[in-house]
Amino acid sequence: MGEILKCEGLCKSYGNKEALIDLNLTLESGKIIGLLGPNGSGKTTLIKLACGLLKPTKGKILIDGMEVGTETKAVVSYLPERNYIPLWMTVENIIDFFCDFYKDFRKELAYDMLKRLNINPKDRIKTMSKGTKEKVQLILVMSRNAKLYLLDEPIAGVDPAARDYIMDTILTNYNPDASVIISTHLIQDIEKILDDVVMIQYGHLRIHGGADDIREQKNMSIDQLFREVFRC
């Protein structure tokens, strides 16, 4: 399928704090990839570098064979860990905005997902629960026909029923030729959908491989391995 993301000696520092240290990593297209690690491990930093929101201190990161810039932003769909939709907007407003902003936005798919999740397009964001806001943001991200979906903690802070909806939405609506990178420390909730696993700690790559291969080699679940590696 080809490479969708490649890091070569990637380093990122915030002053004296090193968030990523000499990271070498290649991820393929057509995969659902778990980016796993405890809080403060460098997951969000890596995602923000891939989005172009941060610049490397050293090394490089390539998306679809290109250095991060205007061209790569056109093929990346990003879900940040915090709500970014203005509270005064309705769901209809934000969908219209995305249609204007992204050429690959699939409006019919967005409305179909809203219907399946029982979300009224005329509701304002400020009237919604945290879980419903999370669903709306995910719908917006997954409605793009992107090559790389970057989801930063998409299931943190929502109830178990909402997590099931979110996992189903990811599985049934992403472009199968694309890759989805899901950053989380809630392994048990996403393990069943993962093709590949990347574990990082203190900015270092600890484990990278196919989910099934890792389970077979280690004779344990990804969740169990995570707890062993990070002593959770």
Side-chain angles (χ1 to χ4, degrees):
M1 294 290 291
E3 298 172 356
I4 189 62
L5 182 149
K6 187 169 187 176
C7 302
E8 299 177 343
L10 185 64
C11 300
K12 179 60 184 176
S13 300
Y14 302 100
N16 294 326
K17 179 177 171 54
E18 295 179 301
L20 291 175
I21 304 165
D22 196 28
L23 185 67
N24 294 290
L25 177 66
T26 300
L27 301 178
E28 296 178 356
S29 299
K31 305 268 191 177
I32 298 180
I33 302 155
L35 178 59
L36 314 178
N39 291 331
S41 60
K43 303 189 302 296
T44 294
T45 294
L46 178 56
I47 285 177
K48 287 184 174 179
L49 286 163
C51 292
L53 296 175
L54 295 174
K55 294 195 174 185
T57 304
K58 198 171 81 171
K60 66 168 63 174
I61 180 168
L62 303 175
I63 304 295
D64 200 26
M66 301 177 285
E67 292 202 28
V68 175
T70 304
E71 290 180 330
T72 61
K73 288 180 181 179
V75 300
V76 171
S77 191
Y78 167 52
L79 178 70
E81 60 181 330
R82 291 183 175 84
N83 179 57
Y84 62 89
I85 304 173
L87 296 179
W88 60 268
M89 295 185 92
T90 65
V91 179
E92 278 181 332
N93 292 153
I94 193 66
I95 286 177
D96 288 342
F97 177 81
F98 267 60
C99 285
D100 291 340
F101 204 76
Y102 297 109
K103 291 180 181 178
D104 62 0
F105 190 80
R106 298 168 290 180
K107 188 173 184 177
E108 288 184 7
L109 178 59
Y111 276 101
D112 180 61
M113 283 192 274
L114 288 171
K115 185 176 180 181
R116 285 193 285 120
L117 295 177
N118 297 312
I119 297 172
N120 187 343
K122 297 189 181 297
D123 284 351
R124 292 190 184 277
I125 302 301
K126 68 180 180 182
T127 67
M128 296 176 174
S129 67
K130 179 178 174 59
T132 303
K133 288 175 187 172
E134 296 269 1
K135 292 176 192 175
V136 169
Q137 291 196 149
L138 185 67
I139 285 170
L140 294 169
V141 169
M142 301 311 296
S143 292
R144 287 189 56 201
N145 190 23
K147 288 188 176 181
L148 178 61
Y149 300 86
L150 298 171
L151 313 180
D152 196 0
E153 297 287 359
I155 57 175
V158 298
D159 61 76
R163 289 175 192 172
D164 289 341
Y165 275 125
I166 287 170
M167 291 298 102
D168 181 63
T169 301
I170 292 169
L171 273 177
T172 56
N173 294 288
Y174 88 102
N175 173 0
D177 293 327
S179 276
V180 182
I181 297 178
I182 305 173
S183 164
T184 188
H185 58 277
L186 300 171
I187 318 303
Q188 198 168 14
D189 293 289
I190 71 160
E191 175 168 348
K192 61 186 177 184
I193 73 169
L194 297 180
D195 297 310
D196 283 3
V197 172
V198 175
M199 292 189 188
I200 60 176
Q201 184 180 33
Y202 304 129
H204 292 281
L205 180 65
R206 293 290 303 273
I207 291 172
H208 176 214
D212 288 339
D213 292 338
I214 290 172
R215 279 189 283 261
E216 187 176 334
Q217 291 168 9
K218 302 291 186 180
N219 197 28
M220 63 178 71
S221 69
I222 304 300
D223 183 55
Q224 289 171 322
L225 177 61
F226 181 88
R227 293 172 186 276
E228 182 178 284
V229 171
F230 301 112
R231 299 297 178 192
C232 297

